[in-house]
Amino acid sequence: MPRMVLMNILIFVALFLVYFYACLFAVKLYKYLIERLEAPQRKSISYLIIRYVLWCIFVVTVFPMSMFFPLWLHAKFPIIEQTQNATIGFIILGNLVLVTIIWLGYKKKKNSFGASGT
């Protein structure tokens, strides 16, 4: 294996892990902020607007970032030949990351598998 390809693989894996944990942090931060706004005494219109603004920021940043970052990373540090199947594979990888970070960010206990978090 050529040295440049090996270096690209190491850089890809390192940046992929940073990206994964950054996305997971963003989901947990969003969840924390929303839970802080859900207090019973805070049902005013201003808190509702803040929640929708936070949701819009979350959707506009986290979803595209988590879905398309592996594809962009592969374009910068190619590890396999660029084909249509590789493009689809990296988009699927990004979608799997999106599902995983949302699941990890919203589960209530470390060993929970159910929707209720128990």
Side-chain angles (χ1 to χ4, degrees):
M1 182 177 295
R3 185 179 178 121
M4 191 63 172
V5 173
L6 183 59
M7 187 61 87
N8 282 350
I9 291 172
L10 291 175
I11 292 170
F12 184 91
V13 169
L15 290 177
F16 187 85
L17 290 173
V18 169
Y19 136 79
F20 181 85
Y21 284 107
C23 288
L24 183 59
F25 173 76
V27 169
K28 287 187 177 202
L29 177 65
Y30 172 74
K31 179 185 174 202
Y32 170 77
L33 292 174
I34 292 301
E35 286 176 350
R36 298 276 295 169
L37 292 172
E38 285 184 348
Q41 68 272 18
R42 297 185 178 165
K43 296 293 182 185
S44 69
I45 191 75
S46 62
Y47 285 104
L48 186 63
I49 291 171
I50 291 170
R51 286 185 67 180
Y52 278 111
V53 167
L54 287 173
W55 178 79
C56 287
I57 292 170
F58 176 74
V59 168
V60 168
T61 57
V62 173
F63 278 43
M65 170 74 175
S66 61
M67 288 173 31
F68 297 112
F69 187 79
L71 182 61
W72 176 83
L73 192 59
H74 179 260
K76 297 295 180 189
F77 303 102
I79 56 175
I80 59 175
E81 183 182 346
Q82 184 67 30
T83 63
Q84 187 176 9
N85 288 339
T87 301
I88 292 168
F90 283 111
I91 291 174
I92 290 172
L93 177 64
N95 286 318
L96 289 174
V97 167
L98 176 62
V99 169
T100 304
I101 63 170
I102 289 178
W103 178 68
L104 289 174
Y106 272 88
K107 73 178 189 173
K108 301 226 185 271
K109 295 181 183 176
K110 283 190 177 230
N111 295 328
S112 66
F113 290 102
S116 66
T118 58

